[in-house]
Amino acid sequence: MQWSLREQDVPTEEALASNPYDETRWLEYAEQAPDNDFKEAILSRATATLPASTLLWNAYFEAVFGDRSKLLNAYRKALRVLHSNPSIWIKYLRLLVEEGSSEIKSVFDASLFNVSKDYHGDIWKLYLKYASREAPQTAARIYIQFMHVSIELGTDFEINAYDMIDTVLESGDATLVRQLWNNIWYKRIPSSELPRTLAEYCLNKCVHQLGDEQLFNDICDDLSLRYDDLQSEIFTKKADFYASTDIHRARHFYSQAISHAKTVSQVTKAFDAYVNFEDSNFDTMGEYELENRLDIFEDLLRKRPFLINDVRLKSSPNNVDLWLERASIYDNDHGGRIKALVDALMNINPLHATGQKSLVSIWEEYAKIYLDSGDVNTAILIYSKAAKSQFKDASELASVHIMWTEALLNVSDEAALEHIEDVLYNHIPPNFKQVKFHISSMPVQARVFKSVDLWKFYIDLLKAVLDEKNLEVINNKMHTAYQKMIHLEVITLRLIFDYASFLKQQNMLDRAFSLYEEALRAFQAPMAQYELWKAYLEDTILQKSANENRIRDLLEQCLSGVPLPGHLVKNIFDMYIDFEERNQMPIKTLKLLERAIAYLGQAIQGPVMDYSKQELNKIVDDKYVFQLQLLTRIAQVKDHQLLRSAYETAVQDLHYSMPQILDLGLRFIEFETLQKEIVRARSLFKHFTSLGSPESLLFAKVWAAWEKFESEHGSEELIQDMFSYRRKLSRVFADIAQAKSEVNPMGFVKGETKGGEIKPKHVENPDAIDLDMDM
């Protein structure tokens, strides 16, 4: 390079001559150069003197940047010395990629060999970018090389595995595809969705583009080994692959596809593919071969329901419904049905049985095969084995004993009764009161004696075998059974009522009444007491020969015993009141009405059970009905003082609703008016109208009645006083409403909570009068 030394450069040259390794002076010298050629010459000398200086080389690259040839030579010279410098390699590689140099692959390989692995990622990004532009053969080798190191590079690569597969397939070289596939399959491509979907994609591509049998089988085997749920589909693909070249191998793989199916969808697809395959080959077969293949084909079609059932059972081996379905497929083939049911009993875990039907259904179907053929002894043997096996619930074992007993009826009634009585009476443990029917801490065989269904079946069986010859024996058995049920605490109200009905049909009323009394001692719940007393009293009262004192005594026992449900007890009081009325006992009737009112009031204040809102409303309504009846009957005896006292008590009862209070109030006023107690009536009007706002529709009838009352019994002045009082009440209730709205815009009244019940705070009306009937 031609350049002339300037006079002002002499001191610098002299300094560099004395110290040629001064990097800073070389850089300053280059910066002071008058032109780029002078600068290039200085930096060429500098890099030759200090070849390991990255700063000098970078300055040199900048000086020759405009000349690509010089720049490439500069990179080559620098890399001879700085062969491990990643930044120089990357700059050099970028330049080569842009230039499209033919030597670039060897340069990439050299850079990866010389640079530390920490910087390989940046180089591979350039390398893969370069590969996407190259011929498929070259790209394939680069991709394969990349896959060897992909795990070490991390996840910063946006690699599209599908594009890689497509690129390598374009090379047409099955060996390269197999190498790439092995690397993809056994290594992990960062940020990819591999390997399942890509495997299927690659499989289809290989079949259509290369047709390489070995590669196809390798990919199939890899996919099948890794994904067990895809085995059926893979075998179907294998079968399709060989369908046109090797019929025997295709059939083998179709069979494998069916046998390895994991879902109904898979077995259906594999089966349909097999059927289509066989159907397509019928035209090419000879007569003898066609006949054999048709036989095989028909057998295959018959197996289709079994194949689907097999798949379902593989995923749900404890599903009773599926095993029953399998048995039903055999239809009239008793041997096949028996085998399916025996397999079910051997494979189902009784404690984990599922399905809409229980394990009992398996035993039932098993025994039914022999019962239908008249082999009762074998059916009974099957039930005896079932009774010794395990069940999820004791109710299932009870069902087995019921079916066993029904089978014994084919032998004799005595045999059936003997069996069921043995189960119910002879296997009761001493601690039977601690045994709970639905608690699984004990074997089902130790709990079955507490099965209500089993006892009910026994009672029904006794009724069924009852005739004139064994009347006394069966009646005694039934009585013993009910005594035992009560003793074992397995009796239900329905059984009590059924037996009572039976006894009445047999004209055994005394025994029916004894049954009611025993049940009343056994069932202490309010609802049970009510149902029992209602039935007992109805049967007693309907009895024409019943003693009055006995009926009255039973009614008293009923009402003085366990408190009955308040919303139902009206029926009992009505029964008692009707009885006393028929016996012309008016005083007792009055006392009963008072008692009924008090009883219902106590039911509200101290409930014996949790009442719903509707039930509480019914109690109040029933109490109000009794209240009206009481007032009517007192009025009939014409004791005015007693009636006045009854009205006073009624209108102050806090249980009644406001409409009921107002109705009672108007009745009270009417009574006082008839007694010419005008002042008292007017005071009552004033009291009842003060209970609510005059603007309320609820009080309209009271105000109308007062106005009519004053027009008939008052004066103009009293009418004006009434209207004045009404205006005053309107202002008072308006002020109360305003105060409430200011405290709570939603208009809710705060309540006091006690025992889960919310009661509104009582709002005192300053203008309300005390109900003083002694005025």
Side-chain angles (χ1 to χ4, degrees), residues 482 495-505 512 515-516 539:
Y482 276 94
L495 287 171
I496 292 289
F497 293 138
D498 286 347
Y499 187 36
S501 177
F502 171 79
L503 291 173
K504 286 185 287 184
Q505 291 172 5
L515 175 66
Y516 283 133
D539 290 346

Side-chain angles (χ1 to χ4, degrees), residues 20 60 128 214 355-357 451 481 507 544 627 658 704 714:
Y60 189 22
L128 293 172
Q214 183 60 44
Q356 294 184 347
K357 294 186 177 181
S451 169
N507 295 318
K544 293 181 180 180
Q627 186 74 64
M658 185 59 71

Side-chain angles (χ1 to χ4, degrees), residues 50 81 100 113 124 139 142-143 156 211 235 256 266 304 350 460 503 631 661 685 693 737:
L50 295 169
V81 180
F113 178 80
W124 270 111
I142 294 173
Y143 289 147
D156 295 332
F235 281 122
Q256 291 292 306
Q266 286 183 351
R304 188 176 190 274
D460 291 339
L503 291 173
L631 294 171
I661 291 293
F685 270 123
S693 171

Side-chain angles (χ1 to χ4, degrees), residues 54 147 208 337 430 467 484 545 552 711:
T54 304
M147 287 305 304
H208 291 102
R337 288 175 62 196
D467 56 35
K484 197 69 174 178
S545 61
R552 187 176 287 111
S711 66

Side-chain angles (χ1 to χ4, degrees), residues 4 15 140 145 173 214 286 313 342 378 387 415 463 513 578 669 687 693 714 728:
S4 300
Q145 184 181 350
D173 189 334
Q214 183 60 44
L313 283 174
V342 171
T378 302
K463 291 178 183 178
F513 293 157
D578 290 343
I669 291 169
H687 167 72
S693 171
K728 182 179 180 181

Side-chain angles (χ1 to χ4, degrees), residues 432-448:
F432 66 88
K433 288 195 175 182
Q434 282 73 48
V435 177
K436 304 299 180 184
F437 183 67
H438 294 292
I439 302 301
S440 60
S441 57
M442 298 178 65
V444 290
Q445 286 79 6
R447 293 181 276 137
V448 72

Side-chain angles (χ1 to χ4, degrees), residues 597-598 600-606 616 619-621 623 650 652-658 660-661:
I597 293 169
L600 293 174
Q602 183 61 35
I604 298 172
Q605 290 177 339
L616 283 172
I619 296 173
V620 174
D621 291 342
K623 181 180 178 182
Q652 295 182 83
D653 195 316
L654 297 178
H655 294 153
Y656 295 139
S657 64
M658 185 59 71
Q660 291 169 338
I661 291 293

Side-chain angles (χ1 to χ4, degrees), residues 260-272:
H260 285 81
K262 298 292 189 296
T263 66
V264 174
S265 175
Q266 286 183 351
V267 74
T268 301
K269 289 179 181 178
F271 186 87
D272 290 345

